[in-house]
């Protein structure tokens, strides 16, 4: 059903000499809001859908062209309208790490549209989502667009947050390495790495999270105590002398055990760097290339070295295994797979500054 073209009174002067304007986002807006926005941008529009022929429509459910598209000044755009109730904003779904088929299913159920960029986006051969805009849980309009950064890499299944509450530092590190999940420690001793006990995890243990995602550990430093028990035995000798003889008797007195509690001061761990030609970390730039997720390349470390790569701008970190050698030298410290680079920054950035530890 097609309605009339809505036009506003033009002012004098040639419209063709005016600079193009960007198409506003009117999806989800009411009829009154749409008129106000289009009038402000000096654009005309035609309506299609229920209520368009008699002006009883109450909301816009789609538009052409898409928001942000440059259109000619005072040109006519197309709006699809409805007489239904205006939908409220809804939280954006979390699509990172999901397969292509799963993304289509979720977006259809949410009644949202999306655009893609990255390897496989141009010909529809992408297999997983490595980034999205807006972020998950951001309130967005019904029938609006999301942008997805995609990859040809096969998506990894989600991992359960390990149960580490009450564990020592060594136990927690081992558990998270086994689950291939990263963590940020917060609390007493977190800043200098002297914490020795986990007091909490967010999200809760057992929660399914994306592969190589980061959770928060609440930690503390617990002082060790030593209890010593000692028993003291006191002996006394009494000698009684009578005419013609001497008698000696011995009395033994045992005191109750004395308990002494000695509180040791908090243990401070000092790490002394071993003297060698190589350092334990390097700071430089990281790039990405189409490679196996979880694996990376350097020019200065042997194959099989496990790295922690931390984005100096965001403090996000990932773990990867050196399985390839790169030709670059200098401050080029690591080449990441496109999947792991996207966990630190957008693939569009191309180059980021990082700290590589091993």
């Amino acid at each position: 059903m097609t309605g009339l073209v809505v036009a506003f009174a033009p002012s004098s002067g040639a419209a063709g000499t005016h600079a193009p304007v960007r198409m506003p986002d009117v999806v989800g807006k009411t009829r009154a809001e749409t008129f106000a926005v289009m009038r402000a941008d000096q654009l005309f529009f035609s309506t299609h859908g229920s209520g368009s022929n008699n002006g009883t429509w109450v909301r816009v459910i789609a538009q052409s062209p898409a928001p942000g598209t440059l259109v000619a000044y005072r040109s006519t755009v197309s709006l699809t309208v409805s007489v239904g109730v205006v939908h409220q904003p809804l939280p954006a779904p979390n699509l990172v790490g999901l397969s292509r088929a799963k993304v289509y299913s979720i977006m259809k159920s949410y009644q949202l549209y999306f655009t893609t960029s990255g390897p496989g986006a141009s010909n529809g051969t992408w297999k997983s989502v490595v980034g999205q805009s807006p972020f998950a849980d951001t309130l967005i309009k019904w029938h609006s667009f999301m942008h997805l950064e995609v990859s040809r890499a096969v998506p990894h299944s989600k991992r359960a947050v390990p149960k580490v509450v009450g564990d020592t530092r060594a136990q927690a590190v081992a558990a998270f390495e086994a689950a291939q999940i990263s963590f940020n420690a917060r609390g007493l001793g977190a800043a200098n790495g002297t914490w020795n006990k986990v007091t909490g995890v967010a999200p809760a243990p057992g929660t399914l999270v994306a592969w190589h995602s980061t959770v928060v550990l609440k930690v503390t430093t617990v002082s060790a105590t030593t209890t010593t028990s000692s028993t003291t035995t006191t002996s006394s000798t009494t000698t009684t002398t009578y005419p013609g003889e001497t008698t000696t008797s011995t009395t033994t007195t045992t005191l109750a055990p004395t308990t002494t509690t000695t509180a040791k001061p908090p243990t401070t761990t000092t790490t002394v760097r071993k003297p060698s030609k190589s350092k334990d970390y390097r700071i430089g730039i990281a790039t990405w290339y189409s490679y196996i997720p979880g694996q990376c390349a350097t020019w200065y470390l042997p194959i099989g070295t496990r790295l922690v790569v931390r984005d100096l701008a965001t403090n996000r970190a990932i773990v990867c295994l050196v399985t390839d050698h790169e030709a670059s030298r200098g401050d080029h410290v690591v080449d990441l797979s496109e999947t792991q680079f996207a966990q630190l920054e957008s693939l569009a950035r191309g180059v980021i500054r990082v700290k590589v530890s091993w």
Side-chain angles (χ1 to χ4, degrees):
M1 186 178 295
T2 302
L4 299 175
V5 175
V6 178
F8 304 112
S11 59
S12 59
T17 62
H18 201 285
V21 295
R22 292 194 179 276
M23 177 65 187
D25 184 2
V26 293
V27 173
K29 291 189 180 299
T30 64
R31 188 166 176 269
E33 291 172 334
T34 302
F35 270 88
V37 170
M38 301 300 278
R39 183 183 296 275
D41 288 345
Q42 290 288 299
L43 292 174
F44 308 134
F45 63 90
S46 62
T47 57
H48 313 271
S50 59
S52 61
N53 62 332
N54 55 9
T56 59
W57 61 273
V58 296
R59 63 185 171 89
V60 179
I61 60 174
Q63 66 180 67
S64 178
T69 305
L70 286 175
V71 295
Y73 178 66
R74 290 209 178 100
S75 59
T76 302
V77 299
S78 176
L79 305 181
T80 303
V81 296
S82 172
V83 295
V85 179
V86 176
H87 284 262
Q88 296 299 317
L90 71 163
N94 186 5
L95 305 173
V96 175
L98 299 185
S99 66
R100 185 168 176 264
K102 189 67 174 177
V103 169
Y104 271 91
S105 175
I106 291 177
M107 296 300 275
K108 183 177 180 180
S109 65
Y110 273 67
Q111 297 192 51
L112 294 172
Y113 305 106
F114 66 92
T115 58
T116 58
S117 63
S122 60
N123 56 8
T125 59
W126 60 275
K127 296 181 179 179
S128 62
V129 178
V130 296
Q132 68 178 64
S133 177
F135 296 114
D137 296 327
T138 303
L139 288 178
I140 57 177
K141 296 176 182 178
W142 184 71
H143 269 186
S144 60
F145 279 82
M146 292 181 61
H147 181 74
L148 307 181
E149 296 175 15
V150 297
S151 169
R152 292 193 182 97
V154 177
H156 286 264
S157 59
K158 290 188 176 182
R159 312 298 172 92
V161 176
K163 299 178 181 179
V164 293
V165 175
D167 285 359
T168 64
R169 184 168 180 265
Q171 291 171 328
V173 170
F176 276 92
E177 284 185 351
Q180 292 190 303
I181 300 174
S182 303
F183 67 85
N184 282 331
R186 298 178 183 176
L188 184 63
N192 56 9
T194 59
W195 62 272
N196 55 20
K197 185 177 181 180
V198 180
T199 60
V201 187
T207 304
L208 292 178
V209 297
W211 179 68
H212 271 175
S213 58
T214 301
V215 302
V216 176
L217 287 191
K218 298 177 182 179
V219 300
T220 189
T221 301
V222 179
S223 301
T225 57
T226 303
T227 302
T228 305
S229 298
S230 61
T231 303
T232 304
T233 303
T234 304
S235 299
S236 62
T237 302
T238 304
T239 302
T240 305
T241 303
Y242 295 94
E245 64 177 349
T246 301
T247 302
T248 303
S249 63
T250 302
T251 303
T252 302
T253 303
T254 301
L255 301 179
T258 302
T259 301
T260 304
T261 301
T262 304
K264 293 183 178 181
T267 303
T268 301
T269 302
T270 303
T271 302
V272 180
R273 293 193 180 279
K274 55 186 178 182
S276 64
K277 294 182 180 180
S278 63
K279 298 181 179 180
D280 294 325
Y281 69 91
R282 283 177 183 259
I283 295 177
I285 62 172
T287 57
W288 64 271
Y289 68 124
S290 294
Y291 197 47
I292 304 169
Q295 300 182 23
C296 56
T298 69
W299 57 268
Y300 53 91
L301 290 174
I303 299 295
T305 305
R306 183 175 294 277
L307 304 182
V308 177
V309 182
R310 187 172 298 278
D311 187 341
L312 295 179
T314 64
N315 205 36
R316 297 193 189 106
I318 56 95
V319 178
C320 65
L321 187 68
V322 178
T323 58
D324 192 14
H325 279 150
E326 59 183 357
S328 302
R329 292 293 189 273
D331 64 346
H332 193 130
V333 293
V334 67
D335 270 354
L336 300 173
S337 70
E338 55 189 359
T339 300
Q340 291 192 285
F341 188 97
Q343 293 174 347
L344 299 177
E345 290 283 1
S346 168
L347 293 178
R349 287 285 302 276
V351 176
I352 57 175
R353 192 162 179 80
V354 298
K355 176 180 179 181
V356 175
S357 307
W358 64 91

